[in-house]
Amino acid sequence: MRTIGLIGGMSWESSAEYYRLINQQVRDRLGPLRSATLLMYSVDFGPVEQAQHAGRWDDAAVILVDAARRLEAGGAECVVLCTNTMHLVAEQIQAAVSVPFLHIADPAGHAAVEAGALTVGLLGTAFTMEQDFLKNRLAAHGLQVLVPDQAERQAVHRIIYEELCVGVISEASRRVYQQVIESLAARGAQAIILGCTEISLLIKPGHSELPLLDTTELHARAAVAFALGD
């Protein structure tokens, strides 16, 4: 089994999901007492979040590049960045290490194509929905990517940072997300990409009229496939 390197902490709520999902999938594949060989470097989210909202992406990249190098030095054989938003600096992280960087958008793109959902709605932070770093990567898989309107984007973003990142799960916020999903469906979305690793804490398959492509679960699955040599 190859060793997975996780850059976590953004937020630790979703990083804990990565740890659980990866180990569950290894157990399902290899047997009841098996678990993943992995390392996690969990950063302090505070300085990263401040850099995000100030537009200081290079400062945030320095923190994550350091984490990736520490993981490689510790024996990690791949790097998994446990957040969608910070894939904005994915190229800097990959350039800093010699081991593979497993991009979060690729398993989501593959899953959408396999499901025949070539028009997808994308939910995430405002950075993810409004900038091109994730949308272009998904488009490279042949997908048309729709995002909510401005007011909906603001609501989705606020709920992520003010609630989900601090472990708050609200039925009222779930209804907001459901309304956004309905709007995307009306515009032609065939599936919804949960493009923030916290969203699956709030929205489960039974809460959506459209199929959900959970980047957290799919990214974890890709990490397990790498570890087991699939």
Side-chain angles (χ1 to χ4, degrees), residues 27-106:
R27 181 181 64 194
D28 291 345
R29 291 278 302 275
L30 300 183
L33 298 182
R34 301 296 299 274
S35 53
T37 302
L38 61 80
L39 304 171
M40 179 183 286
Y41 190 95
S42 188
V43 303
D44 178 3
F45 190 29
V48 176
E49 182 273 333
Q50 292 168 10
Q52 289 174 343
H53 285 93
R56 293 184 287 104
W57 296 101
D58 287 344
D59 291 346
V62 168
I63 297 170
L64 302 188
V65 162
D66 176 67
R69 287 174 171 158
R70 290 171 184 265
L71 287 171
E72 183 176 26
E77 294 171 85
C78 71
V79 171
V80 174
L81 179 59
C82 303
T83 163
N84 282 269
T85 297
M86 290 314 303
H87 276 72
L88 190 148
V89 299
E91 291 182 4
Q92 292 98 307
I93 297 170
Q94 176 64 91
V97 294
S98 60
V99 297
F101 178 88
L102 307 185
H103 198 291
I104 199 168
D106 292 335

Side-chain angles (χ1 to χ4, degrees), residues 161-176:
Y161 279 93
E162 294 182 10
E163 298 180 17
L164 303 183
C165 284
V166 295
V168 175
I169 304 300
S170 161
E171 184 60 37
S173 294
R174 181 176 291 124
R175 288 196 296 271
V176 170

Side-chain angles (χ1 to χ4, degrees), residues 170-180 182 202-203:
S170 161
E171 184 60 37
S173 294
R174 181 176 291 124
R175 288 196 296 271
V176 170
Y177 272 63
Q178 288 174 314
Q179 290 168 0
V180 174
E182 290 171 4
L202 178 68
I203 297 295

Side-chain angles (χ1 to χ4, degrees), residues 29 38 43 83 96 102 116 121-122 125 131 145-146 164 186 190 195 202 205 219-221 229:
R29 291 278 302 275
L38 61 80
V43 303
T83 163
L102 307 185
L122 175 63
T125 66
Q131 301 191 49
V145 182
L146 307 177
L164 303 183
Q190 299 166 301
L202 178 68
H219 205 198
R221 191 172 298 280

